[in-house]
Amino acid sequence: MSNSAMTATAPSTIPEQSIAASLTVEVMHDLDDGTPTLVASTQGNQGDLQVVTVDQVRAMIAEQRAHLNRQERLALAYEAASGEGRKGVIVAIGGTCVSHGEPLDLWATPDWDAHAYEAVYDPSRISLADAEASVRTQLAEFGVQVAGFLNEDGPLTTAQSTFVLDDGLGARLTTPTESALRDIDDCYTAAENATRPFLAAKAVVHDYRPQAYGRRTEVWLEYGVTTGTLTPAKARDVLAAMAGFCAQFEAVIELAEREALKDFEGDPEIEAADREAEARRIRAITEARA
């Protein structure tokens, strides 16, 4: 959740490259009858402007988001090679607030629809733990409870970045980095869910007798009791897909919140009468079959 200043020790070896991202989405109206049409283009000059469906727009957004992720990785690679330093950055997921403080600046991040707040802090003046605590305190003043922090590109703890041999697996792996949120599986009790995280990830290296069996590195993504074994490249794709899903999940939640306004409790007496009637019906069917 923080980035330390990095110093280049050798001339940059980054090849020249260009990564473009462009998406235009419009609603146009027919000049004759005013019928609306959804159109989109992925070219800057809108040379491929075409009529699309909402699902096609979502797919385009996911593709552009992947381009943006590659652009960020290229910028980070340039930063590491050029020695351009920067202060630490953490992102808190919460509600609405804009605040300012030293040595920590906190502001809303529009890309997250005002539900995330980016805090820039100086690691030489304040620790990561204190910076996170300060974010929580500032947001709490506005009635906002921080759900968690996004890990930008590190740092991991020593255990999470140190590979330890697991004789049972014949592989070297790191201690998992886990979500604060515990599992939410309906098939288990609350106590059972509390024993495992909702999400966890670890890096794993298989290098037992590499001359014979080769060497491969994987990312294990655990969600509840299930584990997905991914290549680093596939893990990047999963990360991009998860980011894209957040906006859709938010839309589902907002829809559910609107519908929940109509919810109400049933009448216990009517419920009891209905259950009794259902029991009589089942008994009658059973006796008739007998």
Side-chain angles (χ1 to χ4, degrees):
M1 283 167 273
S2 67
N3 294 299
S4 300
M6 293 173 283
T7 303
T9 58
S12 173
T13 58
I14 302 176
E16 289 190 2
Q17 53 188 295
S18 174
I19 302 174
S22 175
L23 176 61
T24 301
V25 179
E26 299 181 47
V27 173
M28 294 184 172
H29 292 86
D30 187 276
L31 295 177
D32 296 326
D33 58 15
T35 301
T37 302
L38 184 65
V39 298
S41 170
T42 57
Q43 296 180 0
N45 60 3
Q46 299 191 14
D48 64 339
L49 191 67
Q50 57 187 298
V51 177
V52 294
T53 64
V54 173
D55 285 341
Q56 287 174 321
V57 170
R58 290 197 179 104
M60 291 177 177
I61 291 173
E63 182 179 359
Q64 294 304 312
R65 197 171 274 122
H67 292 326
L68 293 174
N69 289 336
R70 287 195 292 272
Q71 289 175 339
E72 181 181 18
R73 292 199 295 274
L74 178 61
L76 291 173
Y78 169 81
E79 178 186 61
S82 65
E84 284 192 5
R86 69 182 195 178
K87 294 183 178 180
V89 176
I90 56 179
V91 178
I93 305 304
T96 57
C97 164
V98 177
S99 182
H100 175 82
E102 287 291 347
L104 183 145
D105 298 328
L106 178 67
W107 65 88
T109 306
D111 291 346
W112 288 81
D113 298 325
H115 287 278
Y117 297 86
E118 187 172 275
V120 177
Y121 70 101
D122 187 344
S124 66
R125 301 175 59 193
I126 183 173
S127 68
L128 173 61
D130 288 342
E132 290 184 354
S134 179
V135 171
R136 292 184 185 277
T137 299
Q138 291 187 50
L139 289 177
E141 293 175 358
F142 291 81
V144 176
Q145 297 300 314
V146 175
F149 292 91
L150 293 182
N151 189 339
E152 203 182 35
D153 63 345
L156 298 175
T157 65
T158 301
Q160 293 167 340
S161 58
T162 301
F163 289 88
V164 178
L165 178 64
D166 186 317
D167 292 329
L169 294 173
R172 293 185 297 115
L173 62 162
T174 61
T175 299
T177 175
E178 300 181 348
S179 64
L181 174 66
R182 311 317 286 172
D183 200 14
I184 57 174
D185 197 323
D186 288 341
C187 295
Y188 296 90
T189 66
E192 290 171 329
N193 281 336
T195 63
R196 54 181 169 264
F198 178 57
L199 290 173
K202 69 180 72 172
V204 180
V205 174
H206 299 273
D207 57 358
Y208 174 72
R209 296 179 179 174
Q211 295 85 352
Y213 304 105
R215 184 186 192 278
R216 71 181 188 278
T217 302
E218 298 172 337
V219 174
W220 288 6
L221 177 62
E222 301 171 6
Y223 35 109
V225 297
T226 305
T227 300
T229 303
L230 311 168
T231 64
K234 183 62 177 178
R236 276 288 181 188
D237 292 340
V238 171
L239 179 62
M242 290 170 67
F245 178 72
C246 286
Q248 298 175 40
F249 186 36
E250 175 72 15
V252 171
I253 294 172
E254 290 177 353
L255 173 61
E257 287 172 337
R258 292 195 298 270
E259 287 299 313
L261 296 176
K262 308 172 189 174
D263 292 353
F264 58 88
E265 297 294 330
D267 188 315
E269 293 184 1
I270 296 176
E271 177 186 358
D274 183 71
R275 290 183 182 279
E276 183 179 346
E278 181 66 12
R280 287 198 304 269
R281 186 182 71 84
I282 294 175
R283 279 199 305 272
I285 294 174
T286 302
E287 292 171 357
R289 288 177 177 172

